[in-house]
Amino acid sequence: MSVITVERKVLKKNDQYALEIREHVALQKIVVLNLLSSPGSGKTTLLEKTLEKLKNRINTAVIEGDVQTDQDAVRIARHNVPVVQIVTNGGCHLDAALVLDALKQMDLSAVRLLFIENVGNLVCPAGFDLGEHHKIVIAGTTEGDDKPLKYPKTFRVADVCLINKIDLLPYLDFNVDVFIENAAKTNPGLTFFQLSAKTGEGLGPWIDWLENRTVAQP
Ligand code: MG
Ligand code: ZN
C-alpha cells in the first residue's frame, strides 16, 4: 500500500537527520532529552522549575515545539538559557529535520543539557527519533491513571515518566499505584518520579537524575 511506503520513507529520512543530530551533540558532549506529554500536563512549568534548579549547576538549552505561538519560548527565555521556538503551524509533532535546523541556530558551546519540549500530543511524537538520549513522558494527575493503557507506545519508548501535579492528589480520583502499574505493564524498565512543579515537592530526585546523566554521558 502506497500510504505505508510514504510513511516508511518519511521515517527513514527522519532517522538520517536524527543521526546528524547525534553526531552534532556528541562533539559537544550534550545530553538531549525529548519531553513528551499531552497538552496541559504542566510540561513548560516543570521545565521552568527544572531550569531554576539547574541554574549555576548545569548549562542548559531548550527547543520549544508548539503548534502555534511562541509564548512558551518567551517563558523559557526569562531563565536566560538559549532557546529556539519551532512553530509547526498545525503539525502535531517535531521531526528531526526541524530540530536539526533549530540546533544550527543555537550557540551550544557551553551547553551540557538540551531539552526538547515536543508538541503536546501522546500519539505520533513517540514515532519520531529526534536524536535524543532519552524520551521523557510527563503525565499530570489531572489526566487519569489509565493514560498508559490508552497511549502505550509513548510509555514504551520512554525511559523516564514524570508524574506531575501530585499536590492535587487529595482532590482527584487519580491512583498513583494504578498508574505506575499500568505504565510498568507497558514498559517494565520505566523510571518514575512523582513531583509537583507548582509546589516543588519531589523535584530533588529528578534534578539528581539529570545531573547524573550529564556526568555519565561520555
Ligand atoms: Mg508548553
Ligand atoms: Zn504528528
Side-chain angles (χ1 to χ4, degrees):
M1 245 173 66
S2 63
V3 175
I4 291 172
T5 311
V6 168
E7 186 174 303
R8 278 211 186 122
K9 260 191 192 161
V10 167
L11 287 176
K12 202 173 160 200
K13 193 87 193 140
N14 186 77
D15 287 347
Q16 287 166 3
Y17 285 120
L19 189 65
E20 255 189 80
I21 293 171
R22 286 207 165 83
E23 288 168 356
H24 194 81
V25 298
L27 288 172
Q28 319 250 19
K29 300 180 187 287
I30 299 168
V31 177
V32 182
L33 304 176
N34 180 1
L35 309 182
L36 311 175
S37 85
S38 49
S41 67
K43 211 162 16 135
T44 310
T45 303
L46 182 55
L47 193 47
E48 288 189 85
K49 287 294 164 83
T50 300
L51 295 176
E52 271 173 31
K53 296 274 182 196
L54 292 176
K55 196 179 173 188
N56 302 325
R57 293 164 84 172
I58 302 174
N59 286 331
T60 54
V62 177
I63 293 175
E64 273 292 330
D66 277 293
V67 173
Q68 290 295 340
T69 86
D70 65 353
Q71 57 191 29
D72 283 357
V74 170
R75 285 168 64 184
I76 297 299
R78 288 191 202 121
H79 299 270
N80 293 316
V81 300
V83 55
V84 170
Q85 174 80 52
I86 300 173
V87 175
T88 62
N89 279 318
C92 48
H93 59 267
L94 293 179
D95 64 39
L98 290 169
V99 171
L100 186 61
D101 275 350
L103 275 183
K104 287 177 174 171
Q105 296 174 38
M106 303 175 95
D107 176 10
L108 297 173
S109 47
V111 169
R112 290 287 284 122
L113 188 58
L114 171 70
F115 294 99
I116 303 171
E117 186 179 333
N118 217 310
V119 176
N121 168 5
L122 279 180
V123 188
C124 48
F128 286 81
D129 183 358
L130 302 182
E132 73 279 326
H133 295 91
H134 302 284
K135 288 187 173 78
I136 314 279
V137 59
I138 302 161
T141 55
T142 44
E143 296 178 52
D145 44 35
D146 57 353
K147 271 274 149 94
L149 300 178
K150 288 183 173 167
Y151 303 96
K153 186 173 178 185
T154 299
F155 287 83
R156 202 177 306 128
V157 298
D159 295 316
V160 172
C161 176
L162 305 180
I163 305 172
N164 191 22
K165 307 189 189 183
I166 56 164
D167 54 306
L168 297 178
L169 281 172
Y171 315 103
L172 300 167
D173 291 330
F174 187 96
N175 184 321
V176 176
D177 293 336
V178 168
F179 178 91
I180 291 177
E181 198 181 298
N182 286 336
K185 241 182 261 169
T186 310
N187 180 357
L190 206 49
T191 298
F192 296 91
F193 295 103
Q194 301 177 38
L195 43 82
S196 165
K198 195 174 173 198
T199 66
E201 186 185 353
L203 275 176
W206 157 240
I207 299 299
D208 290 345
W209 184 87
L210 290 170
E211 291 201 303
N212 287 336
R213 289 322 304 154
T214 57
V215 172
Q217 206 64 49

